[in-house]
Every structure is written in structure tokens, then in C-alpha cells.
Amino acid sequence: RVKCQSLLAHCFNELWCEALNLRKKYDVTHFLMLHADVGPQTGDWVQVMLREMALARVDVLSAVVPIKNETGATSTALDLSGEHGRHRWAHRRLTMREVMRLPPTFTAKDAYDLCLPGWGHKRALLINTGLLLVDFRKPWVERFCFTVNDEVIRREDGDFEAKSESEDWYMGRWLQQNGIPVAATRKVPLEHVGRGVFRNDGDL
């Protein structure tokens, strides 16, 4: 088993540390991350994120972001690790069609009840960092570290396969393991820009 590390998590942790250190000088209450390829479509998107976080009573709120293809899949997923011999990073992506059937702001229980009934007990909602809001007044933020996990495994058939756990899905699992309340939302309409433009306010 071969392991390696990614500079992506290091860059995110530099931002996290800067925000933590700014608390000494300024009244920093929240950490907000917005990826360069994610574009909120309304001028009040920060206020909407803050309002939804307060209404949901969570420490972490992530916007649903569709991936950059025509499948309708999103970067928000359900944790399937440890079930029936599945890999420890096994997951199932939510589709935009499923997201549109969920409450506009939803929790792990909401998503599992819709997509995998009976699976939702103590399971993680694997969130996305493309548009991420964190309540920095909570003590756990001083213990968290973004981490990208990669490995190469040898399957039972003898072939090799690359496995990866992204920094955001690692965060989702860490939050669940540490009892931190988290939710995802489509209340902020946004575009994910690549070879095309993919929006989170429709079912594809």
C-alpha cells in the first residue's frame, strides 16, 4: 500500500490558520471559502448562507455544487464506507434530481432517508468546499485540519487501483466522527464553470 499527500490540503490549511490567527486581532466569527470556479448568482449569497446556517443550527454549511459534466451528479455525497466489504472511502454522490427532492437546506438524515432508507444512523454527509461556511466561534475549529488521502491498493484479482479521499469528504467524515452538526444547501443558486456551466438550481 503506497500513500502520498497533496498540496491542495496544505493551501487550504494556510487559509484556515490565517483565519484562526486573525481572531486575536479582529472579531472573526466565520470562515468562508469560495473556489475560483464557483460563482454565486445573487448579490445576497453571504447573507443567505449565514441565515441558513442559523436556521439549521449547524456549525458547517456547504452549498451543493454540481460536478462539471452532464450527468447531474454533485460534489455532495453519502458515506458508504464499511458496508458489505466496501472500501473505507466508499461513497455515493447525490444527483441534482435528488437534491431538488430534498429540503432546500438538508442534513445527513434527510439525504439518507430519501436515497438510502435505513442507512442514515451515524453516517456522514460528505460535503463540498466549493462554497463553505464555518462558524469559527466553536472550539473544534482549532482541532481540524484539511487532509487529502490517497493510496494505491492491490485488489483481490491482483490488479492495482488508485483510491482517494478528497479534502472535503475527509472533512465530512471528520465532522460526523466528532459530533459536529453540518448541512448542505441549494438556497444559494450558483454556477460551476469548466468546459461548460453547470448550475445547482435544476435537476440536471
Side-chain angles (χ1 to χ4, degrees):
R1 185 174 283 184
V2 181
K3 295 187 177 180
C4 60
Q5 292 182 329
S6 170
L7 290 177
L8 176 65
H10 177 75
C11 294
F12 285 5
N13 285 321
E14 289 284 351
L15 296 174
W16 192 267
C17 289
E18 184 174 354
L20 287 171
N21 292 333
L22 285 172
R23 297 183 309 172
K24 300 175 183 178
K25 187 174 182 181
Y26 303 103
D27 186 21
V28 174
T29 60
H30 291 77
F31 176 91
L32 180 65
M33 180 182 289
L34 179 65
H35 291 194
D37 58 355
V38 175
Q41 297 299 293
T42 59
D44 62 346
W45 60 274
V46 175
Q47 290 82 2
V48 171
M49 290 289 287
L50 288 167
R51 184 181 69 239
E52 291 302 306
M53 170 177 275
L55 290 172
R57 298 182 180 180
V58 294
D59 292 4
V60 179
L61 182 65
S62 167
V64 174
V65 178
I67 63 175
K68 298 175 185 178
N69 63 33
E70 303 292 345
T71 65
T74 75
S75 298
T76 305
L78 306 178
D79 176 28
L80 303 185
S81 60
E83 287 289 333
H84 310 297
R86 288 184 172 92
H87 189 270
R88 61 197 172 108
W89 301 330
H91 62 271
R92 178 194 181 284
R93 291 181 186 270
L94 295 178
T95 66
M96 279 308 308
R97 184 165 297 176
E98 291 168 336
V99 168
M100 297 304 288
R101 293 171 57 199
L102 287 164
T105 297
F106 59 90
T107 64
K109 184 179 185 307
D110 296 323
Y112 280 98
D113 284 350
L114 173 68
C115 302
L116 295 170
W119 282 59
H121 181 63
K122 295 184 178 179
R123 287 207 167 264
L125 181 65
L126 305 182
I127 56 174
N128 176 251
T129 56
L131 174 48
L132 180 74
L133 182 66
V134 180
D135 188 341
F136 247 41
R137 296 167 294 188
K138 302 302 175 70
W140 66 264
V141 300
E142 297 183 6
R143 297 187 286 114
F144 176 71
C145 172
F146 287 106
T147 302
V148 175
N149 291 305
D150 299 291
E151 66 180 11
V152 173
I153 64 169
R154 193 171 205 162
R155 301 192 311 239
E156 291 183 1
D157 63 7
D159 286 347
F160 290 91
E161 182 179 354
K163 294 287 187 180
S164 181
E165 181 186 44
S166 61
E167 91 293 337
D168 44 8
W169 290 356
Y170 168 84
M171 184 183 202
R173 291 187 174 100
W174 189 94
L175 294 170
Q176 188 274 329
Q177 291 165 5
N178 287 272
I180 311 302
V182 57
T185 188
R186 57 179 166 84
K187 289 286 284 189
V188 175
L190 57 80
E191 294 180 343
H192 197 192
V193 181
R195 292 182 177 179
V197 176
F198 305 91
R199 296 180 62 96
N200 73 343
D201 54 1
D203 63 4
L204 185 62

